[in-house]
Amino acid sequence: MNNQASFNTDVAVIGAGPVGLFCVFQCGMLKMSTHVIDALPATGGQCTALYPEKPIYDIPAAPAINAQDLIRKLEAQIKPFKPEVHLDQQVVALERQGQQWQLTTASGMSITAKAVIIAAGAGAFGPNKPPLANIGQYEGKTVHYLVQNRELFRDQRLVIAGGGDSAVDWALSLADIAAHIYVVHRRDKFRALPENVDQMRALAEQGKLELVIPYQLANLEGQDDQLTAVHVKTLKGEERRLEADHLLSFFGLVNKLGPINDWGLNIHNGLIQVEPTTCATNLPGVFAVGDIAGYPHKLKLILSGFAEVAQAAHAAFAYVYPNEALHFEHSTSTGVPAPQAQ
Amino acid sequence: MPRITFITVDGERVETDAKAGNSVMEVAKELDLPMLAACGGALACATCHVIVEEDWFEKTGELSEDEEDLLDTAHDLTETSRLCCQIKVSDDLDGLVVRLTPME
Ligand SMILES: Cc1cc2nc3c(=O)[nH]c(=O)nc-3n(C[C@H](O)[C@H](O)[C@H](O)COP(=O)(O)OP(=O)(O)OC[C@H]3O[C@@H](n4cnc5c(N)ncnc54)[C@H](O)[C@@H]3O)c2cc1C
């Protein structure tokens, strides 16, 4: 995936969780344009990725609202400001360019901005990779975190690791094309659709795949990017060597600060330290809000994040319009731009 | 107050008198120990994975199905692995020792 597009904006927002989305509104009210970037293929951050169906009870004036509905309503609220949202790409670099900041994403897109608001939660969502030595050398070639092309696995020996829906679904789907499948899981219980688990156990009884339980991944054997075997072990230390051409690792999503650690920000235990009245970080024109912002007595709540966004947007104004006075106004006086027919 | 000892990945021992009723994760965060606990105790991640000293494991109580499910996504599990947001501090746990796991 390569994407050489480049954009210019007043404020670049890293993260499209609830707090990142609300940045579009607050900046928009102060006549600042925004571009929002997220590593996930959808907006909503934790609300969408972890608990879309759960009701949230502590959003002011919404006695109960499903996480997914909260995101839909935020999107409706920011729509008048014509948000530019770039999904499925992680911001990997943040560099000073004169008086501005340049952000670069993993796919090569770049955004130049007068101010940056980091609303990155606990970091970019990505695959939860098992901490195996040298796993990086096989990634993309013989170690996979998602399946893009089933045909790659025809007549291949596979180790599928994990105990959730992805592991079970792919074991079922690949059983008739793979040469052999080992399903490695730490316990006999799978947290997946019961029908599918039953079907997988039936295939195991017919010898179409092998359940390797209760084992965990221990290490990888191979050369260059070609895997030859996966070593697994039990809690008691019993080991097995499973000959395999590919490892499909399905341990869900995790957040990683990753590159954010390298931008020169003051980070403590995963939180970017900010001055709480402005959400300013130690870098000029760079603000942090929401779950990733750290200050004494911080509460990781959506409502705190929203308030931080208002503080940050007002403080960012000085970087976007250095020569203009900022007048405080209520939304009841300014209104919002009229929705335009698209 | 129950005394709880944390052993960091580097082997440092940190002892504290913990408030009964808090979770062991909250106690660790209060001490500012290196632990992500990303979801803040919402049972949505496994970043507060600790290894309980063997003698104490049973006293920390039964694991719920949700905790087991999340432990499926943790790595380098042991027989006494727990998510410490699910361990409630009580007088029965006076003397508890847990080991932290690597942060990333
Ligand atoms: C199960 C559960 C229940 C909860 N219940 C409540 C509740 O009842 N009330 C409440 O107030 N809060 C609740 N929370 C917490 C709430 O969801 C968070 O406080 C909120 O999501 C924080 O929003 P955010 O926008 O700061 O971060 P997030 O929602 O974490 O979003 C951050 C986004 O930034 C992206 N990102 C990070 N780094 C990069 C990068 N380098 N490049 C591109 N994208 C990046 C991530 O992919 C992610 O999508 C709950 C959380 C969980 C897990």
Side-chain angles (χ1 to χ4, degrees), chain A residues 14-20 37-40 44-47 50-51 54 56-59 89-91 119-125 259-260 263 289-292 300-303, chain B residues 39 42 44:
Chain A
I14 302 175
V19 178
I37 313 105
D38 203 294
L40 282 176
Q46 294 172 46
C47 294
L50 300 179
Y51 63 110
K54 279 196 186 171
I56 307 176
Y57 299 102
D58 57 354
I59 304 297
Q89 41 194 324
Q90 185 182 2
V91 178
F125 275 102
I260 296 179
W263 297 345
V289 294
D291 275 13
I292 201 167
K300 285 190 189 177
L301 287 175
I302 295 168
L303 79 91
Chain B
C39 81

Coordinates of all heavy atoms in Angstrom, one line a residue, chain A residues 14-20 37-40 44-47 50-51 54 56-59 89-91 119-125 259-260 263 289-292 300-303, chain B residues 39 42 44, ligand 1:
Chain A
I14 N -4.5 13.0 15.7 CA -4.1 11.6 15.7 C -5.0 10.8 16.5 O -5.0 10.9 17.8 CB -2.6 11.5 16.1 CG1 -1.7 12.4 15.3 CG2 -2.2 10.0 16.1 CD1 -0.2 12.4 15.7
G15 N -5.8 9.9 15.9 CA -6.7 9.1 16.6 C -8.2 9.5 16.4 O -8.5 10.7 16.5
A16 N -9.0 8.6 15.9 CA -10.4 8.9 15.6 C -11.3 8.2 16.6 O -12.4 7.7 16.3 CB -10.8 8.5 14.2
G17 N -10.9 8.1 17.9 CA -11.8 7.6 18.9 C -12.8 8.7 19.3 O -12.8 9.8 18.6
P18 N -13.6 8.6 20.3 CA -14.6 9.6 20.6 C -14.0 11.0 20.8 O -14.5 12.0 20.4 CB -15.3 9.1 21.9 CG -14.3 8.0 22.4 CD -13.6 7.4 21.2
V19 N -12.8 11.0 21.5 CA -12.2 12.2 21.8 C -11.6 12.9 20.6 O -11.7 14.1 20.4 CB -11.2 12.0 23.0 CG1 -10.4 13.3 23.3 CG2 -11.9 11.4 24.2
G20 N -10.9 12.1 19.7 CA -10.4 12.6 18.5 C -11.5 13.2 17.6 O -11.3 14.3 17.0
I37 N -6.6 11.1 11.6 CA -6.0 9.9 11.1 C -6.1 8.8 12.1 O -5.9 9.0 13.3 CB -4.4 10.0 10.8 CG1 -4.2 11.3 10.1 CG2 -3.9 8.8 10.0 CD1 -3.6 12.4 10.8
D38 N -6.5 7.6 11.7 CA -6.5 6.4 12.6 C -6.0 5.2 12.0 O -6.2 4.9 10.8 CB -8.0 6.2 13.2 CG -8.0 5.4 14.5 OD1 -7.5 4.3 14.5 OD2 -8.4 6.0 15.5
A39 N -5.4 4.3 12.8 CA -4.8 3.1 12.4 C -5.9 2.1 12.1 O -5.7 1.1 11.3 CB -3.8 2.5 13.4
L40 N -7.0 2.2 12.7 CA -8.1 1.2 12.5 C -8.9 1.6 11.2 O -8.9 2.7 10.7 CB -9.1 1.3 13.6 CG -8.8 0.7 15.0 CD1 -9.8 0.9 16.0 CD2 -8.6 -0.8 14.8
G44 N -14.0 5.6 15.9 CA -14.7 5.2 17.2 C -13.7 4.7 18.3 O -14.1 4.5 19.4
G45 N -12.5 4.4 17.9 CA -11.5 3.9 18.9 C -12.0 2.7 19.7 O -12.6 1.8 19.2
Q46 N -11.8 2.8 21.0 CA -12.2 1.7 21.9 C -13.7 1.4 21.8 O -14.2 0.3 21.9 CB -11.9 2.0 23.4 CG -10.4 2.1 23.7 CD -10.2 2.7 25.1 OE1 -10.8 2.2 26.0 NE2 -9.2 3.6 25.2
C47 N -14.5 2.5 21.6 CA -16.0 2.3 21.6 C -16.4 1.3 20.5 O -17.2 0.5 20.7 CB -16.7 3.6 21.4 SG -16.5 4.8 22.8
L50 N -13.8 -2.3 20.9 CA -13.9 -3.2 22.1 C -15.3 -3.4 22.6 O -15.6 -4.4 23.2 CB -13.0 -2.6 23.2 CG -11.5 -2.5 22.9 CD1 -10.8 -1.9 24.1 CD2 -10.9 -3.8 22.5
Y51 N -16.2 -2.4 22.5 CA -17.5 -2.5 23.2 C -18.7 -1.8 22.5 O -19.5 -1.1 23.1 CB -17.4 -2.2 24.7 CG -17.1 -0.7 25.0 CD1 -18.0 0.1 25.5 CD2 -15.8 -0.2 24.8 CE1 -17.8 1.4 25.9 CE2 -15.5 1.1 25.1 CZ -16.5 1.9 25.6 OH -16.2 3.2 26.0
K54 N -22.2 -2.1 24.1 CA -22.4 -1.8 25.5 C -23.0 -0.4 25.7 O -22.6 0.5 25.1 CB -21.1 -1.9 26.3 CG -20.7 -3.3 26.6 CD -19.7 -3.3 27.7 CE -19.2 -4.7 27.9 NZ -18.0 -4.8 28.8
I56 N -23.4 3.0 27.5 CA -22.6 3.9 28.4 C -23.6 4.8 29.2 O -24.5 5.3 28.6 CB -21.6 4.8 27.6 CG1 -20.8 3.9 26.6 CG2 -20.8 5.7 28.5 CD1 -19.9 4.8 25.7
Y57 N -23.4 4.9 30.5 CA -24.3 5.6 31.3 C -23.9 7.0 31.8 O -24.6 7.7 32.4 CB -24.7 4.8 32.5 CG -25.3 3.4 32.1 CD1 -24.6 2.3 32.2 CD2 -26.7 3.4 31.7 CE1 -25.1 1.1 31.8 CE2 -27.2 2.2 31.4 CZ -26.5 1.0 31.4 OH -27.0 -0.2 31.1
D58 N -22.6 7.3 31.5 CA -22.1 8.6 32.2 C -21.7 9.6 31.1 O -20.8 10.4 31.3 CB -20.9 8.3 33.1 CG -19.8 7.5 32.4 OD1 -19.9 7.2 31.2 OD2 -18.7 7.4 33.0
I59 N -22.4 9.7 30.0 CA -22.3 10.8 29.1 C -23.4 11.8 29.5 O -24.6 11.5 29.5 CB -22.5 10.3 27.6 CG1 -21.6 9.2 27.3 CG2 -22.4 11.5 26.7 CD1 -20.1 9.5 27.3
Q89 N -4.5 3.8 8.6 CA -3.1 4.1 8.5 C -2.6 4.7 9.8 O -3.2 5.6 10.4 CB -2.8 5.0 7.3 CG -3.7 6.1 7.1 CD -3.4 6.7 5.7 OE1 -2.3 6.8 5.3 NE2 -4.5 7.1 5.0
Q90 N -1.5 4.2 10.3 CA -0.9 4.6 11.5 C 0.0 5.8 11.3 O 0.8 5.8 10.3 CB -0.1 3.5 12.1 CG 0.4 3.8 13.5 CD 1.3 2.6 14.0 OE1 1.5 1.6 13.4 NE2 1.8 2.8 15.2
V91 N -0.1 6.8 12.1 CA 0.9 7.9 12.0 C 2.2 7.4 12.6 O 2.3 6.9 13.7 CB 0.5 9.1 12.8 CG1 1.5 10.2 12.7 CG2 -0.9 9.6 12.3
A119 N -4.9 12.3 20.1 CA -6.0 11.7 20.8 C -5.9 10.2 20.6 O -6.8 9.5 20.1 CB -7.3 12.2 20.3
A120 N -4.7 9.7 21.0 CA -4.3 8.3 20.5 C -4.7 7.2 21.6 O -4.2 6.1 21.4 CB -2.8 8.3 20.2
G121 N -5.5 7.5 22.6 CA -5.9 6.5 23.5 C -4.7 5.8 24.2 O -3.9 6.4 24.8
A122 N -4.7 4.4 24.0 CA -3.6 3.7 24.6 C -2.6 3.3 23.5 O -1.8 2.4 23.6 CB -4.1 2.4 25.3
G123 N -2.7 4.0 22.3 CA -1.9 3.8 21.2 C -2.7 3.2 20.1 O -3.8 2.9 20.2
A124 N -2.0 3.0 19.0 CA -2.7 2.5 17.8 C -3.1 1.0 18.0 O -2.4 0.2 18.5 CB -1.7 2.6 16.6
F125 N -4.3 0.7 17.6 CA -4.8 -0.6 17.6 C -4.1 -1.4 16.5 O -4.0 -1.0 15.3 CB -6.3 -0.7 17.3 CG -7.1 -0.5 18.6 CD1 -7.7 0.7 18.8 CD2 -7.3 -1.5 19.5 CE1 -8.5 0.9 20.0 CE2 -8.1 -1.4 20.6 CZ -8.7 -0.2 20.8
P259 N 5.5 4.2 17.6 CA 6.3 5.4 17.1 C 6.1 6.6 18.0 O 7.0 7.4 18.1 CB 5.9 5.6 15.7 CG 4.6 4.8 15.5 CD 4.7 3.7 16.5
I260 N 5.0 6.7 18.7 CA 4.7 7.9 19.5 C 5.8 8.1 20.6 O 6.2 9.2 21.0 CB 3.3 7.8 20.2 CG1 2.3 7.8 19.1 CG2 3.1 9.0 21.2 CD1 0.8 7.7 19.6
W263 N 8.8 10.5 19.4 CA 8.6 11.8 18.9 C 9.2 12.9 19.9 O 8.9 14.1 19.7 CB 7.1 12.1 18.7 CG 6.6 11.2 17.6 CD1 7.3 10.4 16.7 CD2 5.2 10.9 17.3 NE1 6.5 9.7 15.9 CE2 5.2 10.0 16.2 CE3 4.0 11.4 17.8 CZ2 4.0 9.5 15.7 CZ3 2.8 10.9 17.3 CH2 2.8 10.0 16.2
V289 N -4.9 14.8 24.4 CA -6.2 14.8 25.0 C -6.8 13.3 25.1 O -6.3 12.4 24.4 CB -7.2 15.6 24.2 CG1 -6.9 17.1 24.2 CG2 -7.4 15.1 22.8
G290 N -7.7 13.1 25.9 CA -8.4 11.8 26.1 C -7.5 10.8 26.9 O -6.6 11.3 27.7
D291 N -7.7 9.5 26.6 CA -7.0 8.5 27.4 C -5.5 8.7 27.5 O -4.9 8.2 28.4 CB -7.4 7.1 26.9 CG -8.7 6.6 27.5 OD1 -9.4 7.5 28.1 OD2 -9.0 5.4 27.4
I292 N -4.9 9.2 26.4 CA -3.5 9.3 26.4 C -2.9 10.4 27.1 O -1.7 10.5 27.4 CB -3.0 9.3 24.9 CG1 -1.5 8.8 24.8 CG2 -3.1 10.7 24.3 CD1 -1.0 8.5 23.5
K300 N -9.7 8.5 33.2 CA -9.8 8.1 31.8 C -11.3 7.9 31.5 O -11.8 6.8 31.4 CB -9.1 6.8 31.5 CG -7.6 6.9 31.5 CD -7.0 5.6 31.0 CE -5.4 5.7 31.1 NZ -4.8 4.4 30.7
L301 N -12.0 9.0 31.2 CA -13.4 9.0 30.9 C -13.6 9.8 29.6 O -12.9 10.7 29.4 CB -14.2 9.6 32.0 CG -14.4 8.8 33.3 CD1 -15.1 9.7 34.4 CD2 -15.1 7.5 33.1
I302 N -14.7 9.4 28.9 CA -15.0 10.1 27.7 C -15.3 11.6 28.0 O -14.9 12.5 27.3 CB -16.2 9.4 27.0 CG1 -15.7 8.0 26.5 CG2 -16.6 10.2 25.8 CD1 -16.8 7.1 26.1
L303 N -16.0 11.8 29.1 CA -16.4 13.2 29.4 C -15.2 14.0 29.8 O -15.2 15.2 29.4 CB -17.5 13.2 30.5 CG -17.2 13.0 32.0 CD1 -16.9 14.4 32.6 CD2 -18.3 12.3 32.7
Chain B
C39 N -7.1 -0.6 29.8 CA -8.6 -0.4 29.8 C -9.1 0.0 31.2 O -10.3 0.3 31.3 CB -9.3 -1.7 29.3 SG -9.6 -2.9 30.6
A42 N -11.8 -2.4 32.9 CA -13.1 -2.7 32.2 C -13.1 -4.1 31.7 O -14.1 -4.4 31.0 CB -13.3 -1.7 31.1
A44 N -11.2 -5.5 29.3 CA -11.2 -5.4 27.9 C -9.8 -5.6 27.3 O -9.6 -5.4 26.2 CB -11.8 -4.1 27.4
Ligands
LIG1 C1 -15.2 -2.1 28.0 C2 -15.0 -0.6 28.2 C3 -16.0 0.1 28.8 C4 -15.9 1.5 29.0 N1 -16.9 2.2 29.5 C5 -16.8 3.5 29.7 C6 -17.9 4.3 30.2 O1 -18.9 3.8 30.6 N2 -17.7 5.7 30.3 C7 -16.6 6.3 29.9 O2 -16.5 7.5 30.0 N3 -15.5 5.6 29.4 C8 -15.6 4.2 29.3 N4 -14.6 3.5 28.7 C9 -13.3 4.3 28.4 C10 -13.5 5.0 27.1 O3 -13.8 4.1 26.0 C11 -12.2 5.7 26.7 O4 -12.0 6.7 27.8 C12 -12.3 6.4 25.4 O5 -12.5 5.5 24.3 C13 -11.1 7.3 25.2 O6 -11.2 7.9 23.9 P1 -9.9 8.4 23.1 O7 -10.5 9.0 21.9 O8 -9.1 9.2 24.0 O9 -9.1 7.1 22.8 P2 -9.5 5.7 22.1 O10 -10.9 5.4 22.1 O11 -8.6 4.7 22.6 O12 -9.1 5.9 20.5 C14 -7.7 6.2 20.2 C15 -7.6 5.9 18.7 O13 -6.3 6.4 18.3 C16 -5.8 5.5 17.3 N5 -4.3 5.7 17.3 C17 -3.4 5.6 18.3 N6 -2.2 5.9 17.9 C18 -2.3 6.1 16.6 C19 -1.3 6.4 15.5 N7 0.0 6.5 15.8 N8 -1.8 6.6 14.3 C20 -3.1 6.4 14.0 N9 -4.0 6.2 14.9 C21 -3.6 6.0 16.2 C22 -6.2 4.2 17.8 O14 -6.1 3.2 16.8 C23 -7.6 4.4 18.4 O15 -8.6 4.1 17.4 C24 -14.7 2.1 28.6 C25 -13.6 1.4 28.0 C26 -13.8 0.1 27.8 C27 -12.6 -0.7 27.2

